[in-house]
Amino acid sequence: MTGELSPIDKAKFAAAKQAASLVESGMRVGLGTGSTAAWLVRCLGELVREEGLRFRGVPTSSRTADLARDVGIEVVSLDEARWLDLTIDGADEFDGDLNLIKGGGGALLQEKIVATASDQMVVIADAAKEVERLGNFPLPVEVIPFGWQTTQALIEETLVSMDVMGRQTTLRMNGERPFFTDEGNHILDLHLGRIGNARQLAMVLNQIPGVVENGLFIDICDKVIIGYGDGRVETRDINAGTVSESQLDFVEDDNIFRDI
């Protein structure tokens, strides 16, 4: 029941509900990973069950794939879909130019591949994710396990010449063991505080041997849908240069809340 949800969860649900309305039957849609994207998948599942929506979803992680199948969405691989009409995903941070930090959920590699294989990428987020400058959220960098400590040292050395506030890096853990991505890689979290030139940093990081990909999404997002705890939704379209607002009326018996 929406009345039992926190304001943050209500905000995430509002953004997800609005984004779900962008999906039309026959589309091929990238499905993101994370708490906000999970709301989207539940909303889309409700449309599949209640309104007969039919589309093919390309998940960006095994967790999203499992949830999508559970709610009745047809799941296919990116190779099967080949190209996508739309990808909808969350973000850990976004700035005024709709540049992003992603990867808090550990799926940045698949998320970036899927997003760039789409005609349009839409980000759904609560208002707290907006920042003036990227970097407060630790920047995830996916690295191969072989020689990861050497890769870490190379990253830290590289950061000395970058316009960042901090240079601490940590290996992401899963309990007492290193975290592994779906591709079997590690993630190094870069605690930078502030990133002065995100575009430059993204390019430089990917030149370091052992780095697979970084969580800076530059010039990839086309639209951001921001949800608020009172049901307000703001949509910003970077290409059209437009900002629109709407109001979501929470429905207490909404089917997606049955298992929450």
Side-chain angles (χ1 to χ4, degrees):
M1 304 287 282
T2 55
E4 299 171 356
L5 299 178
S6 69
I8 290 294
D9 279 334
K10 285 184 177 181
K12 292 177 179 180
F13 168 66
K17 189 81 169 180
Q18 181 75 13
S21 68
L22 300 175
V23 178
E24 302 174 359
S25 285
M27 277 187 169
R28 295 160 294 181
V29 181
L31 303 174
T33 294
S35 59
T36 312
W39 283 111
L40 168 76
V41 174
R42 294 188 187 103
C43 289
L44 289 172
E46 182 184 31
L47 293 176
V48 168
R49 295 189 305 272
E50 304 295 331
E51 300 185 17
L53 178 67
R54 293 293 178 265
F55 70 98
R56 289 182 289 169
V58 176
T60 54
S61 68
S62 56
R63 285 167 291 157
T64 298
D66 290 342
L67 178 58
R69 292 189 183 98
D70 286 345
V71 300
I73 296 172
E74 179 186 356
V75 171
V76 298
S77 69
L78 182 58
D79 288 335
E80 290 174 295
R82 299 182 65 84
W83 192 260
L84 306 179
D85 299 287
L86 174 67
T87 286
I88 307 174
D89 203 348
D92 299 302
E93 283 186 347
F94 69 91
D95 66 14
D97 295 321
L98 304 195
N99 293 317
L100 321 170
I101 285 182
K102 289 181 52 55
L108 68 96
L109 179 57
Q110 289 190 27
E111 288 173 336
K112 188 173 282 191
I113 292 172
V114 168
T116 54
S118 305
D119 287 337
Q120 185 180 46
M121 183 197 186
V122 175
V123 160
I124 49 178
D126 59 89
K129 299 299 193 300
E130 183 173 11
V131 297
E132 183 175 348
R133 190 178 292 273
L134 299 176
N136 187 57
F137 189 91
L139 174 64
V141 178
E142 187 160 340
V143 301
I144 65 170
F146 176 81
W148 71 264
Q149 290 175 309
T150 299
T151 304
Q152 182 181 29
L154 289 171
I155 290 173
E156 291 175 346
E157 182 180 344
T158 299
L159 290 176
V160 173
S161 61
M162 295 288 101
D163 183 8
V164 295
M165 184 179 296
R167 292 191 287 271
Q168 180 188 6
T169 66
T170 56
L171 177 68
R172 187 176 298 184
M173 304 296 289
N174 182 16
E176 297 182 356
R177 297 184 177 183
F179 173 86
F180 282 93
T181 68
D182 281 355
E183 290 74 34
N185 296 319
H186 291 324
I187 287 184
L188 295 174
D189 289 309
L190 279 52
H191 304 268
L192 307 177
R194 178 190 59 81
I195 300 172
N197 189 332
R199 186 184 307 276
Q200 179 189 46
L201 180 61
M203 294 176 60
V204 170
L205 286 173
N206 280 6
Q207 298 302 310
I208 297 174
V211 171
V212 180
E213 189 53 82
N214 69 82
L216 286 166
F217 284 51
I218 309 298
D219 297 334
I220 296 177
C221 177
D222 299 287
K223 185 183 296 183
V224 62
I225 298 177
I226 307 166
Y228 296 84
D230 60 0
R232 288 182 299 122
V233 178
E234 178 182 325
T235 301
R236 301 180 194 172
D237 189 320
I238 193 72
N239 300 313
T242 58
V243 179
S244 61
E245 292 189 2
S246 59
Q247 179 73 39
L248 174 70
D249 293 324
F250 291 117
V251 179
E252 290 297 316
D253 60 352
D254 201 315
N255 291 334
I256 69 170
F257 300 108
R258 289 175 179 169
D259 299 324
I260 296 175

